[in-house]
Amino acid sequence: MSANIAPSKPSAAKPETRAAANGDLKSLPMAEVEKRLGSSPDGLSHAEAAKRLTQYGPNELEEKKQNVLLKILSYFWGPIPWMIEVAVVLSAVVRHWPDFFIILVLLVSNAAVGFFEERQAGDAIKALKARLAIKARVKRDGKWAKPPARELVPGDVVRLRLGDIVPADARLLDGDEVSLDQSALTGESLPATRNPGDAVFSGSIVRRGEIGALVYATGGRTYFGKTAELVETAVTVSHFQKAVLTIGNYLIMLAVALVSVIIAIGIYRGNPILTTLQFALVLTVAAIPVAMPTVLSVTMAVGARLLAKKQAIVSKLVAIEELAGVDVLCADKTGTLTQNKLTLGDPFCLDKIAADQLILAGALASRAENDDTIDLAVLGGLKDKNALKPFEITHFMPFDPVHKRTEATVKDADGKTFKVTKGAPQVILKLSANAASVQATVDKAVNDFAARGFRALGVARADGDGQWQLLGVLPLFDPPREDAKETVATAARMGVKIKMVTGDTLAIARETAKTLGMGANILDGATLGDSKNEETAAMTKSIEDADGFAQVFPEHKFHIVDVLQKHGHIVGMTGDGVNDAPALKQADCGFAVSGATDAARAAASIVLVAPGLSVLIDAIKESRKIFQRMNSYAMYRIAETLRVLLFMTLAIVVFNFYPLTAIMIVMLALLNDGAILSIAYDNVIYRNQPEAWNMRVVLGIATVLGLVGPIAAFGLFYLGDRVLHIDRPQIQTMMYLLLSVAGHLTIFQTRTRGPWWSTRPAPILLIAVIGTQVVATMICLFGFLVTPLWWGWAAMVWAYALVWFLLTDPVKLLAYRVLDATKAAPALQSKVQPRSGAKAAPQSEAEPRPPTKADAPKPVATAEPGANAKTAPQPDTEPKPSAKP
């Protein structure tokens, strides 16, 4: 079967050097365009395409690479670097050279760590972008191929289909009109209709139709100046990051306030102003969470790499935190809960139509090259694989959301012309002249199929210019995925309610839901409103309580997500088609499932590479672990800042004694901030409930630990000064060692809600903490930039710190019991009030689409059903591959 396009020979003319940049190419007659480009509807050869790729360059925007030196220098510019730099200058002015060099090391170290980790994160994002890069259907040497879109060159012939992002500026070849969404280019909300010969621009999305196109401009020469971006890096700040950064601002204000007290006291007592100012600056630098941005970026980058290993590619890094809080997941049925591996059942035939004739008519209205699962199922039902050879398809109309069916004009071996069509039974019935006489029979057949879990496909034929006659109904069965039932149960145990969303009938939806153990409370999409109208309280309650939704159109998906969000739910949504894009954008975390269209991938936050939902469950587990790491770091940072600032301020104000020197404060910050980066790799156990930022618990626990620290420090100070009568310089060394050791032990308390030993720390965290504390102990024993400390006193400090650590842990557990009385408190808090900052509705309403999955994931014939069924997961189990459809 082939489109009725008369092939023409490639022009012998050479392409003009600046052809792609020539604006006339979008308006000149097609013959002239082909001549200038040295091409034709048959496309280019591989050799010519390679030559032109060298000439024109890749079909992508050339990224402006920042000068490495300027990038490094940028880490020395900003409020925090300025404070450190002032401390360096003051150290030089007062000739405190040890302080000068150590503070300089701190400044350079922060810049080096920031540069290295940001570069690592950038490399991770580039790798993920490469995996998500779109491919184009290109005709090379007369055959269709699918190279990356970046390899397109002027003169290439591409095939554009429903859901495709137009990869380059092109002129449409012969065929039917297509509908394009150009909102990304022009801001126009309504789709634009384009006919053969018209120009289409890079970044547009095909909403309806299928057609060939001749590329005339690529890369930076395109009308819009760039191709559609499929991956967004971590530019947007998520709710969790905002909360952590708010904590950072709070700590900065606290540090400035207490340091101001120290400066005022120093001036009042007549201390040297430069020395006092230098000490105050150093203390401020140590107290301010300098490492917070670095820890955030490292944790997010590490999380993205871990999720990629679990077959979930993060295209918007902030989605990791949102995913941890998802409590409702609206999941597509076909291809997600089911195998999307349709098989043809025994057809229902009208009149004297034979089953083989009905299947043949349906097969003629199908196209194998479209890789559509419905088309492949119908074609697979042909007993005689050569049955299609006598027929020639002179015109083919692919599925689109407007017509809701496919149609083919066919010429048989005798030269007679007829038309065939297949689509949703109700659509084909309305089209058919014999609908009145057969409707009752057909409706009964469709309902019988639905009760058994079969989808129905109506088939009709029209001879010559005659009327359509319904021939019968083809039943299609899409079996549930082998791992789907266990996945639904696992999600429920994790506090995530999976709601089925399908365009299929109520009967099919209920049958599938019953098989998967999801519940039979399925709402009819026809009863739902749209986002322009506010739902009643009763309808909102029914949406929240529903186990799924049937006969749903894309605008219903958007509305379902919107209603759930307005009532406090964190909503995830899966989708694969171009019309799923609005709902995917609206959801807190949109998932483009395996085999999704380019448009769906562009709208989603996370792209699932493996089929099924089990990979998504693994992604939720990983995101909750990442959330726990961030939570642990936030509490640790608050507690440590309170510990150091309160102890230093009270010691200076009450005892007129500086318990630490400036150089000690710098070393404390350098060692502790360097080691805490390893928390991004720590072992944590996710909780079986959605995560939510509980400021009451975080600030409460951190405050308890931050107040216990100064009490322990003053206890050691009293012991050394009044009981053991140790010299003040040695007491300063003891206090430095205590704050260093006790400070890092705090991370073992904040990283778990239970006893400190309840979760085994990751080796890298253990090594980092032990390593830095060994270094701190050696510094004290050998007197490097501090007064040497007798090893007996050092051992006493270690023992003292460990005793207080063991005494503090029960206090932490008691604080958790008081502050977090119910385990579900964090999740419940997020649902008390409607979500603020709701995402705006997209500019345009998506066109309705019936159950037919024109762009469903491709079946993999080699997969064995049930080969990889999942078992109930444990907190730290590795992901298991899902069964392929």
Side-chain angles (χ1 to χ4, degrees), residues 657-691:
F657 170 63
Y658 285 77
L660 297 179
T661 64
I663 199 72
M664 290 176 180
I665 295 173
V666 172
M667 290 191 297
L668 188 66
L670 185 63
L671 289 175
N672 285 17
D673 279 351
I676 200 61
L677 289 172
S678 61
I679 198 172
Y681 303 89
D682 189 24
N683 289 332
V684 291
I685 295 180
Y686 65 85
R687 296 197 298 164
N688 279 328
Q689 64 186 44
E691 294 285 5

Side-chain angles (χ1 to χ4, degrees), residues 550-720:
Q551 300 182 145
V552 167
F553 289 119
E555 64 269 21
H556 295 144
K557 293 184 180 181
F558 181 91
H559 183 54
I560 291 166
V561 172
D562 189 44
V563 169
L564 291 172
Q565 286 177 327
K566 286 178 179 176
H567 289 79
H569 294 280
I570 310 297
V571 185
M573 167 65 77
T574 70
D576 63 353
V578 59
N579 286 318
D580 293 330
L584 291 174
K585 284 184 178 180
Q586 176 67 13
D588 295 286
C589 201
F591 302 91
V593 298
S594 175
T597 60
D598 296 335
R601 289 186 174 200
S605 304
I606 296 179
V607 178
L608 305 181
V609 180
L613 273 186
S614 58
V615 59
L616 194 151
I617 298 300
D618 286 332
I620 291 176
K621 294 175 186 176
E622 197 59 51
S623 68
R624 290 184 183 179
K625 293 178 185 178
I626 294 166
F627 188 99
Q628 291 289 349
R629 295 180 186 116
M630 300 298 296
N631 203 56
S632 300
Y633 171 73
M635 288 191 288
Y636 162 81
R637 185 66 262 181
I638 297 170
E640 277 307 283
T641 300
L642 284 172
R643 182 198 304 266
V644 174
L645 282 177
L646 288 176
F647 175 60
M648 293 292 295
T649 303
L650 289 175
I652 293 170
V653 172
V654 177
F655 297 101
N656 193 22
F657 170 63
Y658 285 77
L660 297 179
T661 64
I663 199 72
M664 290 176 180
I665 295 173
V666 172
M667 290 191 297
L668 188 66
L670 185 63
L671 289 175
N672 285 17
D673 279 351
I676 200 61
L677 289 172
S678 61
I679 198 172
Y681 303 89
D682 189 24
N683 289 332
V684 291
I685 295 180
Y686 65 85
R687 296 197 298 164
N688 279 328
Q689 64 186 44
E691 294 285 5
W693 184 246
N694 193 330
M695 194 66 73
R696 178 171 178 258
V697 171
V698 171
L699 291 178
I701 300 299
T703 300
V704 169
L705 296 176
L707 291 177
V708 169
I711 296 173
F714 278 115
L716 183 63
F717 174 70
Y718 178 83
L719 184 64

